[in-house]
Amino acid sequence: MGRKDISDVIQIGFQFGGREGIVEPSRKFYLSISYIKLYRSAPEPELIYVSDGRLPEKVSMGMVNEELEQIVMEGDGEASLFDTADEGASARESRREMYWKYRGEQSLVNSGLAYSIVRVLGYDEERRPTVTERLACREKKEGIGKVTRKDVAEVCYRALAEPRATNKIFYATREETGELQLGEENDIFEGFPYY
């Protein structure tokens, strides 16, 4: 077996298990390896996850209530960070949905895959972008608004070929530029650092 280039390996993971129920008189140490996985750095995202834009930029462990399956504001006990539930859904269902979306994000982050997580505040299919608006992605939540499903599809498509979107959580939005944006493809990841 020849020597392999492992210069892009960023982490090694493995699952193991011992011999249960087997008693050996020698009492020698035994470790059974189930699998070994190499986590490689990828130049572009391998998976795009569309999540909820109501999640804050950073969710600390104090905000995650495992028992209630909810995201709560730190220091507020059971008071919700998300008091404005969508029409027709109860606040509890909304908080629980947020919890599971956050858990989905964390599973992806911990998976070892190169990812992009696109947070969307909501969809506004009635909205028609003006000629001075442009699609944008922001790492900060402030000033974001609802977008169309077409906008989200465009962000996902462009993120797949963008190294700056790799292993990032960001918000999709539209922003006013004050300049005509007729047919021009703008850099929606402007301000994202290259790694």
Side-chain angles (χ1 to χ4, degrees):
M1 193 157 114
R3 185 172 205 166
K4 303 288 183 190
D5 177 23
I6 60 168
S7 60
D8 64 342
V9 173
I10 57 173
Q11 189 176 10
I12 296 177
F14 58 92
Q15 181 174 350
F16 61 90
R19 286 187 179 176
E20 294 185 24
I22 300 175
V23 179
E24 293 185 30
S26 64
R27 294 188 175 252
K28 291 183 180 176
F29 176 76
Y30 177 82
L31 181 66
S32 171
I33 303 288
S34 298
Y35 69 83
I36 296 176
K37 178 172 174 137
L38 297 178
Y39 296 95
R40 298 182 177 271
S41 62
E44 293 94 17
E46 299 172 278
L47 188 73
I48 309 292
Y49 181 78
V50 178
S51 191
D52 199 314
R54 294 176 295 169
L55 283 167
E57 294 163 25
K58 301 281 185 208
V59 178
S60 69
M61 288 314 295
M63 296 171 73
V64 180
N65 186 325
E66 302 288 347
E67 187 176 322
L68 295 175
E69 296 180 343
Q70 294 181 6
I71 304 291
V72 295
M73 182 66 93
E74 257 181 326
D76 285 350
E78 294 183 17
S80 172
L81 173 62
F82 311 103
D83 291 326
T84 56
D86 294 332
E87 277 186 47
S90 72
R92 179 171 160 69
E93 288 170 349
S94 180
R95 291 189 302 265
R96 193 161 186 228
E97 179 184 343
M98 299 290 284
Y99 170 84
W100 286 110
K101 287 185 179 188
Y102 170 72
R103 281 294 177 218
E105 288 184 5
Q106 291 309 296
S107 294
L108 181 56
V109 168
N110 296 329
S111 72
L113 295 170
Y115 65 88
S116 287
I117 297 174
V118 182
R119 289 181 174 170
V120 177
L121 184 60
Y123 299 106
D124 186 358
E125 296 305 326
E126 304 296 317
R127 187 169 190 265
R128 298 287 175 241
T130 67
V131 294
T132 58
E133 280 184 334
R134 70 183 193 119
L135 185 59
C137 295
R138 297 288 169 250
E139 293 183 275
K140 300 284 184 193
K141 187 176 178 176
E142 59 199 44
I144 65 165
K146 292 182 178 183
V147 293
T148 65
R149 284 175 172 76
K150 181 181 174 188
D151 289 338
V152 174
E154 177 75 14
V155 168
C156 292
Y157 173 76
R158 289 172 67 180
L160 284 170
E162 179 56 64
R164 293 177 294 169
T166 303
N167 298 332
K168 293 270 192 328
I169 299 174
F170 52 86
Y171 298 87
T173 191
R174 284 209 155 265
E175 60 185 25
E176 187 68 37
T177 65
E179 300 173 7
L180 288 177
Q181 303 292 315
L182 298 175
E184 297 176 21
E185 190 172 290
N186 63 302
D187 180 7
I188 63 173
F189 298 101
E190 183 180 334
F192 283 38
Y194 284 98
Y195 289 108

